[in-house]
């Protein structure tokens, strides 16, 4: 039998189990996924979004403008970055 180890997010998992049809394991996974999403650095976000949009057929001009427009809406918005700074995050 596996021992249950309390985490600092058990109260949130409990809340999700009470208020949604999610079983405890799925609720815990959702919490971890959301935390990982918000733990993403600006550079990781830019690279991920660039890959996603590029695989969808978008071109760099459009991609970097869209990323620049998305950044201010992140939970913890980074300082305003130029299109050149965004390109450098992707291409070095």
């Amino acid at each position: 039998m596996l021992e249950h180890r309390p985490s600092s997010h058990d109260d949130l998992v409990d809340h999700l189990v009470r208020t949604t049809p999610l079983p405890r394991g799925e609720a815990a996974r959702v919490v971890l996924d959301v935390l990982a999403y918000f733990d993403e650095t600006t550079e990781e976000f830019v690279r991920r979004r660039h890959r996603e949009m590029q695989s969808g057929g978008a071109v760099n001009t459009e991609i970097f403008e869209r990323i620049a427009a998305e950044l201010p809406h992140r939970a913890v918005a980074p300082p305003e970055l130029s299109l050149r700074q965004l390109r450098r995050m992707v291409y070095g």
Side-chain angles (χ1 to χ4, degrees), residues 50 53-54 57-64:
H50 182 269
M53 287 187 257
Q54 195 173 47
V59 295
N60 277 345
T61 305
E62 176 188 356
I63 291 171
F64 291 118

Side-chain angles (χ1 to χ4, degrees), residues 35-79:
L35 291 173
Y37 176 84
F38 286 113
D39 196 35
E40 191 174 46
T41 67
T42 300
E43 289 82 6
E44 291 166 339
F45 173 79
V46 169
R47 289 183 189 117
R48 176 177 60 80
R49 290 297 291 140
H50 182 269
R51 276 191 314 273
E52 291 170 353
M53 287 187 257
Q54 195 173 47
S55 70
V59 295
N60 277 345
T61 305
E62 176 188 356
I63 291 171
F64 291 118
E65 288 177 8
R66 285 177 56 190
I67 291 172
E70 290 175 4
L71 281 171
H73 302 285
R74 299 279 296 162
V76 178

Side-chain angles (χ1 to χ4, degrees), residues 3 8 12 17 22 30 39-40 42 49-50 53 56 69 74-75 89-90:
E3 180 182 329
S8 60
L12 179 55
V17 169
L22 293 174
V30 167
D39 196 35
E40 191 174 46
T42 300
R49 290 297 291 140
H50 182 269
M53 287 187 257
R74 299 279 296 162
M89 286 180 187
V90 173

